[in-house]
Amino acid sequence: MLVRQIFDPALAQYAYLIGCPRSGEAIVIDPERDIDRYYDVAERHKLRIVAAADTHIHADYLSGLREFAERGVRVYASDEGGPEWRYEWLLDSSYDYRLLKHDDHFKVGNIEFVAVHTPGHTPEHLVYEVIDHGSGATEPVGVVSGDFVFVGDLGRPDLLENAAGHAGSMIPAAQQLYRSLARFRRLPEFTQVWPAHGAGSACGKSLGDVPSSTVGYELRFNPALRSATSETDFISYILSGQPEPPFYFARMKRDNKVGPKVIGAVPGLPHLPSRELSALAGRSDVVVVDTRPRGEFIKGHLPKSLLAEWEFQFVNITGSYIEEGTPIYLIIEPSQVDEATRLLLRIGLDKLVGYFTPADFAAYVAGGGSAATLEAISMAEMEERRVAGGVRVLDVRGKVDFDTAQVTGAQNIAHTRLLARLGELPNDAPVLVHCASGARAVHASAFLARHGYTPSTVADSFTRWQPAVSA
């Protein structure tokens, strides 16, 4: 048996190519939308992909399952969770597919896969126990655990309520997750755990930065599993301290259920002439995404453009700040265009028009093109202005950090929820935007400027905030 873990660091996502060298066949589990990468890996190992499967209806990226189905590959998906949680695009389709119930089995070559219903993170969630009969094994060598068990964490059961708006679902989901742990505990302790995410994913609160684990290790040291001494204790632990989900999660859940648009090959983006920037300046019906370093953006950028630094949360920011269907232009280095295209496609931002380079933008400015700036201030100056009055302070950290320590009178909206909650922020005064380090604040400030606010970004560490002393 051959197992290859294929990692997307931007989404902290793991897909798995599992192959039987004897038969030359392979399956891909939890693929992302640009599936050519998996064919490349299979080809290197002289395998042909004959099947693909999802563990659940994903919320953080568009699945590649439909892309495989379009190529005639047999696909497997959950038939658990009730009628509300079915893969609608598969039902009554002409695709080669099989919907799986709890304890259903299928084989790829000499490798057997056992589907196990593990609701909690989502109602339809499956994991796949993997048995390598080619080596004579009768017990699973590993379990593709999806968003059920991570290294050091479990898949959060609150996403349907907090990201997709299914009110009242998180407590029942947490109860389901607690009950789902029983099957995991019965697995042999040597069984390897192959999760769908690692550190940096918003699908849990404390995922380890380790690509795999074992059942025995997780039973001993996973804090979420260890909290399950009772259902009450477990629910209290698993629902506390979860990060705010990015805005685009609800859209991913919807699109993976009804069926992502088929893209086929990854498109190439055209390099546009710098003179076209002038026609994009100040427009709200399109978005120019500027990937340059934040310091350069602060000094000068295209009016109403968004900042999404290439080296900082590019996916979370674009997914959280760009509305569905908006035409997208990039300011980006040519070497990064293909990867940026793939990342945007993975989160359903498909309306990509073209790109400009940072040199193109510099030429546009040198030729007299209009540019905007962003005021950057220190924590001390923020406090002086706050005390003087006539401003609003916006803290774009997560609620957990805000509840721990906060600027007097500050309003808290996590930066990934700004688009969803913009109506809660009055536009009646300049807004002083801060976070922990200044990184999220500058991105949020660019977003607010695009939406007509007058922001100043606090380019400073929150640890330097000192409340003014009353006279």
Side-chain angles (χ1 to χ4, degrees):
M1 187 178 82
L2 176 144
V3 179
R4 289 294 178 268
Q5 187 183 65
I6 301 156
F7 183 47
D8 174 2
L11 285 160
Q13 191 267 350
Y14 298 118
Y16 294 89
L17 178 100
I18 301 177
C20 174
R22 187 172 300 174
S23 71
E25 297 171 314
I27 184 173
V28 180
I29 301 179
D30 284 339
E32 293 177 318
R33 197 180 185 195
D34 49 324
I35 64 172
D36 57 317
R37 299 175 295 138
Y38 310 117
Y39 280 102
D40 290 343
V41 176
E43 185 178 356
R44 287 200 297 270
H45 295 284
K46 297 181 172 56
L47 296 169
R48 66 184 185 281
I49 296 172
V50 299
D54 268 354
T55 53
H56 63 294
I57 299 172
H58 297 283
D60 51 329
Y61 65 90
L62 288 183
S63 167
L65 206 62
R66 189 172 191 180
E67 297 290 332
F68 277 115
E70 281 284 323
R71 298 194 186 192
V73 171
R74 174 161 243 219
V75 298
Y76 295 91
S78 176
D79 196 25
E80 294 283 2
E84 197 177 353
W85 299 105
R86 306 187 78 190
Y87 286 72
E88 294 176 5
W89 61 272
L90 274 177
L91 302 178
D92 300 320
S93 74
S94 60
Y95 295 129
D96 182 4
Y97 70 94
R98 180 183 172 192
L99 298 177
L100 300 171
K101 295 286 192 182
H102 178 69
D103 267 340
D104 277 350
H105 299 224
F106 65 91
K107 293 183 78 173
V108 174
N110 292 308
I111 306 166
E112 183 179 15
F113 296 83
V114 182
V116 180
H117 186 213
T118 50
H121 178 67
T122 63
E124 80 290 347
H125 197 287
L126 300 176
V127 303
Y128 298 103
E129 296 175 2
V130 183
I131 304 170
D132 180 18
H133 291 293
S135 66
T138 56
E139 294 182 285
V141 60
V143 56
V144 183
S145 59
D147 285 22
F148 173 41
V149 177
F150 301 126
V151 178
D153 203 357
L154 296 175
R156 57 192 294 184
D158 66 309
L159 272 185
L160 288 183
E161 183 159 342
N162 289 334
H166 290 261
S169 64
M170 71 169 74
I171 297 294
Q175 293 169 333
Q176 285 185 319
L177 185 61
Y178 177 78
R179 293 192 291 270
S180 291
L181 295 176
R183 175 81 174 235
F184 183 79
R185 289 193 175 98
R186 292 198 296 268
L187 286 167
E189 290 200 350
F190 59 74
T191 307
Q192 296 179 57
V193 175
W194 300 324
H197 294 290
S201 168
C203 291
K205 60 181 174 179
S206 57
L207 284 72
D209 197 8
V210 178
S212 64
S213 184
T214 64
V215 169
Y217 188 88
E218 295 307 309
L219 290 175
R220 284 169 173 77
F221 302 113
N222 185 313
L225 279 161
R226 294 178 68 185
S227 76
T229 53
S230 72
E231 184 177 282
T232 300
D233 289 345
F234 176 75
I235 291 172
S236 175
Y237 174 86
I238 203 68
L239 292 180
S240 66
Q242 294 288 0
E244 287 81 353
F247 176 75
Y248 75 95
F249 272 26
R251 182 165 48 82
M252 297 297 94
K253 181 67 73 173
R254 178 201 70 196
D255 289 354
N256 281 321
K257 180 181 173 184
V258 302
K261 175 185 173 184
V262 175
I263 58 170
V266 175
L269 284 194
H271 180 193
L272 304 173
S274 60
R275 64 178 179 273
E276 293 191 16
L277 282 164
S278 59
L280 303 174
R283 287 175 58 181
S284 299
D285 61 323
V286 302
V287 61
V288 176
V289 177
D290 193 332
T291 68
R292 296 176 301 148
R294 68 194 72 156
E296 295 180 25
F297 185 90
I298 287 171
K299 292 175 184 176
H301 55 269
L302 198 71
K304 291 204 172 181
S305 61
L306 287 178
L307 173 65
E309 280 183 294
W310 185 245
E311 299 294 337
F312 180 80
Q313 295 189 17
F314 178 81
V315 170
N316 269 351
I317 289 164
T318 53
S320 297
Y321 290 2
I322 300 175
E323 295 183 78
E324 182 179 10
T326 306
I328 299 169
Y329 298 80
L330 301 175
I331 297 177
I332 193 168
E333 295 291 350
S335 61
Q336 298 162 346
V337 171
D338 179 71
E339 184 63 16
T341 301
R342 291 174 181 273
L343 293 175
L344 293 170
L345 291 175
R346 289 172 198 168
I347 58 171
L349 295 175
D350 295 358
K351 209 164 184 180
L352 304 174
V353 182
Y355 75 95
F356 306 92
T357 68
D360 293 332
F361 177 72
Y364 158 80
V365 173
S370 63
T373 59
L374 191 60
E375 183 184 40
I377 62 175
S378 66
M379 273 287 172
E381 187 169 356
M382 181 198 74
E383 181 65 5
E384 289 175 11
R385 295 190 192 183
R386 183 191 70 80
V387 172
V391 298
R392 292 185 176 276
V393 177
L394 178 65
D395 184 338
V396 295
R397 297 177 300 158
K399 186 177 184 298
V400 172
D401 291 334
F402 180 80
D403 288 344
T404 301
Q406 59 193 252
V407 172
T408 306
Q411 181 176 355
N412 176 229
I413 303 176
H415 82 108
T416 57
R417 303 301 297 174
L418 277 171
L419 186 57
R421 298 177 58 189
L422 197 58
E424 300 174 28
L425 181 65
N427 192 5
D428 57 359
V431 184
L432 312 182
V433 187
H434 85 85
C435 60
S437 67
R440 286 170 287 181
V442 66
H443 291 83
S445 296
F447 171 84
L448 291 175
R450 174 176 169 82
H451 287 271
Y453 291 79
T454 306
S456 297
T457 185
V458 181
D460 204 348
S461 169
F462 179 70
T463 59
R464 294 197 178 100
W465 178 67
Q466 295 291 331
V469 179
S470 301

